[in-house]
Structures are given as C-alpha cells and as structure tokens.
Amino acid sequence: MIEVKNLSKSFEHTKVLNDINIVFDKGKANLVIGQSGSGKTVLLKSIVGLHNVDEGEIVFDGTIFNHLNFKEKKEMRKEIGMLFQGGALFDSSTVEENVMFPLDMFTEMSFEEKRERTNECLKRVNIINANQLYPAELSGGMKKRVAIARAIALNPKYLFCDEPNSGLDPKTALLIDNLIKEITIEFNMTTIVNTHDMNSVMEIGDKVIFIYKGDKWWEGTKDDIFDTENKELNEFVFASKLSQKIKDLKNHY
Amino acid sequence: MSLINHIGKYLVLLYRVFSRPEKLKLYYKETIKEIDKLGLNSIWIVVIISVFMGAVITIQTAYNTENPIYPKYLIGLTARDTLLLEFSSTIVALILAGKIGSNIASEIGTMRVTEQIDALEIMGVNSASFLILPKIVATVFFSPFLCILSMFIGIFGGWVAGVTTGIMTSQDYIYGIQYAFIPYYIVYALIKSAVFSFLITSISAYHGYYSFGGSLEVGQSSTKAVVHSSISILLFNLILTQLLLS
Ligand SMILES: Nc1ncnc2c1ncn2[C@@H]1O[C@H](COP(=O)(O)OP(=O)(O)OP(=O)(O)O)[C@@H](O)[C@H]1O
Ligand SMILES: [Mg+2]
C-alpha cells in the first residue's frame, strides 16, 4: 500500500500538484487518469522520488519514503519497478542485457542463473527469440513488454507504469494492460498506472483517480464512472461521440 | 543561468560521479567499452591531423628561416618543440573536444530525455557515477597514449615533408629533433593532455546530463559541450603553462 499525504509540487513559479491525498491499494491496478498536462507524470515521479516534493509525505507500507536519506532511498528503490512513457530501454544494450541489468547490478547470481531469470521474465511478457536484438529493432509494443520484463526482474513490491500503452494500437494496448494486471495479482504488488486511455480504465480500473489541473478531483471504480455527476470527469471520460453514445445507451436501459 | 551557478552544479555533479561505485565489476566493463569507443576510435583522426600538421609546421619554418645565418637543423628543432609543447596536447585536445565532447553530450543527453537516466535512478543506481566515471577514467587513461602518438607521427610528418620537398636533408632534421632536447616537455605535455581530457569528458557529460526537453535540446547541449570544453582547455592551457614551465 502506498499513501500520498498532502502532496504539493511546483516548478519555479507554476504549481503542478496541489495538496494531493491518495491511498493506492495492494494487489490492485490503481489508475491515475487525467488530461495531458494535468500532472500525472509529475505525480508518479514525485512518488518514486525522481522529483523532490515541496510538501507532504509518501508512505510505502509504513515507511515515509521522502524522509529517507539518499542511501536508504536507494535501498528502497530495489523494491520498485517502473515502466516509463517511452520504455526507456538502454539503447546500447540488447534485450537480454536490458533485462539482466538490474540482476547484474544488485544480485550475486551466476551468469546462468541470471540468464534463466531473464528468460523467465521475457517469457512472462511473451517475448521469445528476441534476446539478441537491440531496442531500435523492436516494435513499440515489444519495447513496452521488454521494459515490463526489466521492471519485474527483481520481483518488486511496487510497480509504476507511466502511460504503458501510449502509441499502441487498441488490441496491443489491451494486452499490455492485462499483462500489468495479471502480474500485479500474481505477485501481489501495489501498482500505479498513469493513463489517458479510457479502454484501459474499463479493462483494469479497480481503483480510478482523476487528476484535474493538479488537484485530485474524483476517486472511484470503473463502474462508478458511468453514474458520476462530476462535470469535469464527465467531460474528460465522455469526450468522444462514441463514448457519449455508449453512456446514453447504458442509461437508457 | 549564471556562470557561478553552472560551476556549482558542475562541482556537485562531479561529487556524485566520484562517490563509491556500487559494483566495480560493471564499472570495469563499462570502462573497457569506453576506451574502445572514445580512445581507440580517436586514433585515426589524431594520426591524420598530426602527420599533416607536422608537415606544415616544418615547411613553414623552413620558409621563414631561409636566411643562411640560420642553421638548417633549427627547422627540426622548431617542429619538435612546437609539437611537444603545444600541438600534441592542446591542439589535439581541441580537436578531440569536437569529436569526443559532442559524442558524450549527445549520448548522455539522449539518455536523459528518453528517461533512461530516470530508469537507472529508479533501479537505485547512481546514474551520474555509472555513466560518467567510466568515460572519465577511459579518456584520462588513454589521452597520454594519443599525445605520444601524435608527437611521433607529427615529427615523422615533418621529416617526410622536409625531405621530399628538398628543403633540408634527413641528417639536418634528425640532428635538429635531438638538439637541446628537454625531456620535461614531454611530462608537461602529458600532464596537459590528461587534464584536458578530464575537462572535455566532465564538461560534456555535465551538459548531456542536464539536458532537458527533446532532440533539439540535446543538439544544443552538444554544441555547448564543445564550446565550453574548448574554452576551458584554452584557459587551463594558460594556467598549466604558467604553473609548469615558469
Ligand atoms: N521538470 C519540469 N520542469 C518544469 N515544469 C514541468 C516539469 N515537468 C513537468 N512540468 C510541467 O508540469 C505539468 C504537468 O506535466 P506532466 O508531465 O505531469 O503531465 P501529464 O499529465 O503526465 O501529461 P501527459 O499525459 O501528456 O503525459 C506540465 O504543465 C509541465 O509543463
Ligand atoms: Mg505524462
């Protein structure tokens, strides 16, 4: 479980996050939704400590993360896996080297053990026979999956995904979403997913948090979204004609 | 941002670069890779420039000392001292600033804007140290070799030019390059080239590491890397010359 308490963050003179309070549950995919520029990435990076927050506390299972010193934070980060918006695979390393990197860095495994664990993770995300390819030779969806494999290599307790399916077709996006959800349940992780894709919300949104202009505006489950009276959320979720129609139909019956 | 600000940020980065590495074996592996990429890959450019510059220095010296009161061996001596004192350390460093500096800044800058550096940090890796230390060790370790190589090749280029154009005999040149030889000049050049390599690598890495935005900004960082490392080379050339030769 991760608790965010009274978190505020600003850059120079612009306030990006404003007094945010959220509880992210264990064993669930917690979705953070919001328009482009609403502050989702900043929220995620503040939670993992890539940004220093102005105010507030981030509590990982009872440990106040942002009060830890540099070394303690580093220790804690070994429990965190993160999937970045663009994948962030190391360009000059092969798929195998990418997934093996955390194992090289933080374990004393033998090469055989590391290779076995790497293949296990790659198999888990359905990447086979691509070990020696470089990131430039992969498709967008494959990159994302390799990045997931790298993120779970050390069996993290927490998984953060920033727009895991941006730039993917709806079907591949769905595969990635479901993969994240399955892994979350399988390893009982606390998972936070940033997205502006309503398909993902409907697919895996056990808990949905809506960020609007740096404020936490709404919180609920994917089913609550249809009944909400919240104006901004409605405008965001039912922005397209298709989704508007679905809502009308649903309310009709 | 003001100069003081930049220098402060640069020093803080250096402090992080030189903090204790988490896993020496990985650093060692990276260093070997960097020696190949930054060092061995620079041999050709150093060879080409040195041979031509050695030739040009020799010919120019010959034309400027045509008066018979100057002995011919002066040409060899002048070529040698120019190469040893300035060319093989400072000029080669300025050229490497263009080659290595832009390479380092764009590589690290791309890693920054594509969030690869964030990915390292998230894993709990000291990204500054992991990315920059191997490059610094590789270039500082390799630069004396390049410097020595440049001296030999430059002197050889001068000999070829002098003899083939017939402005002097081979004996004159060889006598000249041995005449009044001060071995300390070599030490002085090696110290300079090690310091310059450190400046090129660390300043370029600094500009790459603090890139922000997209590929446009990475390009700008790489330009800044070359300009700032060149200026600092000139500045430190003055300081080191004053310290080491006076
Ligand atoms: N390092 C930074 N320095 C200054 N401002 C920043 C920085 N990072 C983000 N911002 C600003 O914070 C705001 C929120 O950005 P953020 O990246 O969190 O949006 P987002 O919700 O993730 O959008 P998207 O869905 O497009 O990824 C933006 O206005 C952005 O300009
Ligand atoms: Mg974002």
Side-chain angles (χ1 to χ4, degrees), chain B residues 2 7 17 26 33 68-69 81 83 93 95 103 115 123 128 137 141 159 209 216 222-224 237 243:
Chain B
S2 74
I7 292 175
V17 168
L26 279 190
K33 268 197 221 163
I69 61 162
D81 279 355
L83 286 162
I95 286 153
N103 177 306
E115 297 179 311
M123 290 178 196
V137 173
F141 165 77
W159 175 79
Y209 197 82
L216 188 68
S222 138
T223 310
K224 275 190 217 151
N237 188 30
L243 282 178

Side-chain angles (χ1 to χ4, degrees), chain A residues 45 48 50 74 77-78 80-82 84-86 88-91 101-108 150 162, chain B residues 16 20 22-23 25-27 29 33 107 110-111 114-126 130:
Chain A
K45 288 192 175 173
V48 296
L50 285 174
K74 251 177 74 173
R77 286 201 172 133
K78 289 169 196 165
I80 297 176
M82 184 155 177
F84 286 88
Q85 208 156 344
L89 295 176
F90 304 131
D91 292 325
F101 183 84
L103 304 172
D104 283 336
M105 206 69 180
F106 299 114
T107 70
E108 298 300 330
R150 186 178 67 183
D162 196 4
Chain B
R16 285 189 56 204
R20 219 172 69 84
E22 34 266 301
K23 208 158 189 187
K25 214 175 99 202
L26 279 190
Y27 276 67
K29 237 171 85 186
K33 268 197 221 163
E107 182 189 328
T110 305
M111 292 190 76
T114 56
E115 297 179 311
Q116 292 174 49
I117 291 182
D118 287 341
L120 282 172
E121 287 286 320
I122 279 299
M123 290 178 196
V125 178
N126 176 349
F130 183 70

Side-chain angles (χ1 to χ4, degrees), chain A:
Chain A
M1 187 175 72
I2 299 171
E3 294 159 88
V4 172
K5 297 179 182 168
N6 307 99
L7 178 123
S8 293
K9 168 76 191 163
S10 46
F11 290 106
E12 263 111 63
H13 302 295
T14 46
K15 192 142 199 177
V16 178
L17 296 174
N18 199 6
D19 199 20
I20 305 260
N21 286 285
I22 311 176
V23 176
F24 296 102
D25 301 329
K26 200 185 183 100
K28 262 190 201 177
N30 299 276
L31 264 59
V32 176
I33 60 172
Q35 220 173 322
S36 187
S38 54
K40 301 185 295 293
T41 300
V42 174
L43 174 65
L44 209 57
K45 288 192 175 173
S46 303
I47 293 174
V48 296
L50 285 174
H51 290 319
N52 290 322
V53 302
D54 305 341
E55 260 174 75
E57 286 178 350
I58 292 126
V59 189
F60 282 69
D61 289 314
T63 312
I64 304 177
F65 183 65
N66 55 327
H67 289 185
L68 299 179
N69 66 30
F70 185 70
K71 224 171 149 193
E72 292 166 326
K73 263 188 194 157
K74 251 177 74 173
E75 233 14 74
M76 189 94 186
R77 286 201 172 133
K78 289 169 196 165
E79 317 242 280
I80 297 176
M82 184 155 177
L83 177 61
F84 286 88
Q85 208 156 344
L89 295 176
F90 304 131
D91 292 325
S92 52
S93 309
T94 60
V95 165
E96 182 174 281
E97 286 164 352
N98 261 286
V99 179
M100 215 184 265
F101 183 84
L103 304 172
D104 283 336
M105 206 69 180
F106 299 114
T107 70
E108 298 300 330
M109 290 180 180
S110 71
F111 183 75
E112 287 311 315
E113 288 169 321
K114 283 188 286 196
R115 172 165 261 173
E116 198 175 311
R117 174 73 188 143
T118 302
N119 285 333
E120 208 175 286
C121 294
L122 283 171
K123 202 164 149 225
R124 185 69 197 78
V125 297
N126 292 322
I127 299 272
I128 5 183
N129 293 332
N131 288 31
Q132 301 310 324
L133 296 181
Y134 283 89
E137 299 168 316
L138 304 177
S139 73
M142 283 169 91
K143 274 186 202 155
K144 291 274 163 69
R145 281 184 284 159
V146 173
I148 294 177
R150 186 178 67 183
I152 60 173
L154 286 174
N155 270 325
K157 284 209 267 187
Y158 313 98
L159 182 65
F160 301 93
C161 307
D162 196 4
E163 313 265 0
N165 46 28
S166 65
L168 299 182
D169 64 89
K171 203 168 164 196
T172 312
L174 228 85
L175 278 174
I176 301 273
D177 285 338
N178 282 312
L179 186 61
I180 291 170
K181 177 150 181 184
E182 283 162 27
I183 290 171
T184 302
I185 294 169
E186 202 173 312
F187 301 107
N188 197 23
M189 294 189 284
T190 307
T191 300
I192 306 180
V193 181
N194 272 357
T195 185
H196 40 211
D197 182 2
M198 288 320 292
N199 284 330
S200 320
V201 175
M202 290 307 153
E203 194 70 22
I204 59 167
D206 303 328
K207 179 162 189 171
V208 182
I209 289 116
F210 175 54
I211 304 284
Y212 180 72
K213 291 189 178 163
D215 286 307
K216 182 177 116 179
W217 209 250
W218 184 87
E219 178 181 328
T221 67
K222 60 186 176 192
D223 301 316
D224 299 337
I225 289 181
F226 283 101
D227 310 319
T228 178
E229 297 291 314
N230 193 305
K231 181 167 158 283
E232 287 77 15
L233 180 61
N234 266 312
E235 278 172 9
F236 175 73
V237 174
F238 303 106
S240 76
K241 286 215 172 76
L242 177 66
S243 48
Q244 192 61 51
K245 248 187 194 136
I246 294 170
K247 189 185 184 191
D248 291 344
L249 272 173
K250 189 168 187 287
N251 290 347
H252 196 263
Y253 291 106

